[in-house]
Amino acid sequence: MNQSTYSTTPTDQAGWQALADQLTLEGRAYVDGAYQWASNNETFACISPVDGRELAQIASCDQADAELAVAAARKAFESGAWSHLAPTKRKAVLLRFADLIDAHGDELALLETLDMGKPIGHARAVDVPATVRAIRWTAEAIDKVYGELAATPHDQIGMISREPIGVVAAIVPWNFPMIMASWKIAPALAAGNSVILKPSEKSPLTAIRLAALAEEAGIPNGVFNVLPGYGHTVGKALALHMDVDCLVFTGSTNVAKQLMIYAGQSNMKRVWLEAGGKSPNIVFADAPDLKKAAAEAASAIAFNQGEVCTAGSRLLVEESIRTEFLGLIREALTTWRPGHPLDPATTCGAIVDQAQLDRIIEYIGIGKSEGATLVEGGKRVMEETGGLFVQPTVFDGVNNRMRIASEEIFGPVLSVIGFNTAEEAITIANDSIYGLAAAVWTSNINTAHKVAKALKAGSVWINHYDGGDMTAPFGGFKQSGNGRDKSLHAFDKYTEIKATWLVIE
Ligand code: NAD
């Protein structure tokens, strides 16, 4: 089934289920313009966290497939079929690619929900449009970026140009499979590189489907390849490959560190990492609207089941309003109860897999044993559905040194920490190995700027949570990573700078 078989977006669970029942799922890798099984013929089961059912068998690629894909990508790059194409032409193809994703929005949203459990309403209203926007915005930008001329003596010319780097491997996670992929593949392709996308083994379906849409859009063979499989097999093979020029990654800090080692052990490929977070959300007593702050604090931990790198997992609240604010948060969380992911009214879906659910439940136990006070949630629910659901959970009385406050849980578990002064809030907020994002809520412009400047984070939000657009860069300080996705800054990852110096005779 493809998009042309539907006429309108379903409006209820039965409608989405009917579409799900018609889906034909592709599980093969896509290399050099063709779908194919892994060289070793091995597959793994793609299990839906919605109900525990097997969705498809997926090609389990390894070293041999990495070799094939890298060779195809290199050949395509050197041929110039894409890398030498005029930027306006690459732009036109990528705009077609974005249009095709848009046109297949229902199907792609459904794949995302079935594969990793997020609510269909969010997959359709957030994941699909954000992916389309990332590709469109980047495509639109590529014929508007210029080189530079150096300041030279009169008889010399110094040209500073950017060239595509070559073969790019993109390894991405499962929480926003398409969005994370688009933040990498859009600038990499726009700049003229060849790309090998390795989706998470927990969410391979949309990446595999995107390959067919890329082909239909006119991206030449070998320029865009998709290798599903495990991190320790095909991911490692790409990271250690001597002919991959650039490795871009979104995922955990532990794997990010390992990728730096692989680059050092191989060809010193460029390595760009978007890693974990434990973001502080700081609410002062003079926040302009406490109810709004509480609603956004609830969303910051419950949206996407808390499986968000920028989740506001540490809520720092000024002591004078702590009890009142806790009440507001609990009220706001009533709109974030777990529900069936295919029901468009659901706001909190299924946890991606059993291992992640176990991890969340384990951390809830750790919070209790560390002496924090469980004030909301804390339990697995809807077990009878065969799906993996957990209640949004709030711990009060948390100390920043507790494990629930210092370690990334990647689930809907909120740690509430009190503070008395701005200085104390800044110290607690920055006392983390991570530095991805932070928010501050206050009506005082001086407090807002003082705190925003002091926070060691790649994104800082004032009086809201999780703002941003393709127009602004995204990435982390400290062990949250290096480099930036989105905006024109993203091109820095996918280009080499060349200085060409000419002496005029
Ligand atoms: P993960 O690190 O376990 O896996 C990410 C990807 O790396 C997967 O495709 C996996 O197969 C691959 N991988 C694993 N081991 C590998 C190895 N040895 N060599 C090569 N590849 C390997 O992360 P995850 O569980 O998929 O995602 C959750 C993490 O992602 C969280 O830490 C979250 O904060 C982070 N994340 C960060 C951002 C950001 O922009 N900073 C965005 C989303 C998610």
Side-chain angles (χ1 to χ4, degrees), residues 147-152 156-162 497-502:
E148 300 161 51
L149 282 182
T152 55
Q156 299 178 24
I157 300 175
M159 291 174 284
I160 301 163
S161 56
R162 284 185 180 270
I497 294 179
K498 183 176 277 179
T500 308
W501 203 266
L502 175 87

Side-chain angles (χ1 to χ4, degrees), residues 7 34 74 106 148 242 268 299 313 384:
S7 46
R74 172 63 60 196
D106 289 347
E148 300 161 51
M242 293 300 286
M268 227 171 96
S299 153
S313 50
E384 68 288 354

Side-chain angles (χ1 to χ4, degrees), residues 171-175 180 198-201 229-232 235-236 249-253 255 258-259 262 274-277 309 408 410 436 474 480:
I171 299 181
V172 295
W174 47 263
N175 61 337
M180 295 300 104
K198 203 230 52 89
S200 168
E201 59 278 15
Y230 293 102
H232 64 274
K236 182 176 176 183
F249 170 80
T250 297
S252 62
T253 292
V255 173
Q258 188 58 47
L259 298 185
Y262 291 152
E274 298 286 346
C309 54
E408 186 182 44
F410 223 55
L436 192 57
F474 178 85
S480 287

Side-chain angles (χ1 to χ4, degrees), residues 297-312:
S299 153
I301 195 64
F303 175 66
N304 216 47
Q305 306 72 246
E307 297 162 330
V308 182
C309 54
T310 54

Side-chain angles (χ1 to χ4, degrees), residues 59 123 199 228 239 297 383 400 460 469:
E383 211 167 333
N400 198 49
V460 176
D469 180 37

Side-chain angles (χ1 to χ4, degrees), residues 403-451:
R403 286 182 63 194
I404 53 166
S406 59
E407 297 174 14
E408 186 182 44
I409 300 172
F410 223 55
V413 182
L414 181 64
S415 291
V416 181
I417 303 168
F419 71 86
N420 286 301
T421 64
E423 286 68 27
E424 195 188 345
I426 292 165
T427 304
I428 296 170
N430 286 338
D431 180 18
S432 171
I433 63 164
Y434 299 111
L436 192 57
V440 51
W441 298 77
T442 174
S443 297
N444 184 319
I445 193 166
N446 293 309
T447 309
H449 282 289
K450 181 170 141 180
V451 176

Side-chain angles (χ1 to χ4, degrees), residues 80-91:
W82 181 252
S83 54
H84 294 175
L85 213 58
T88 45
K89 294 203 167 144
R90 286 203 299 268
K91 168 171 123 176

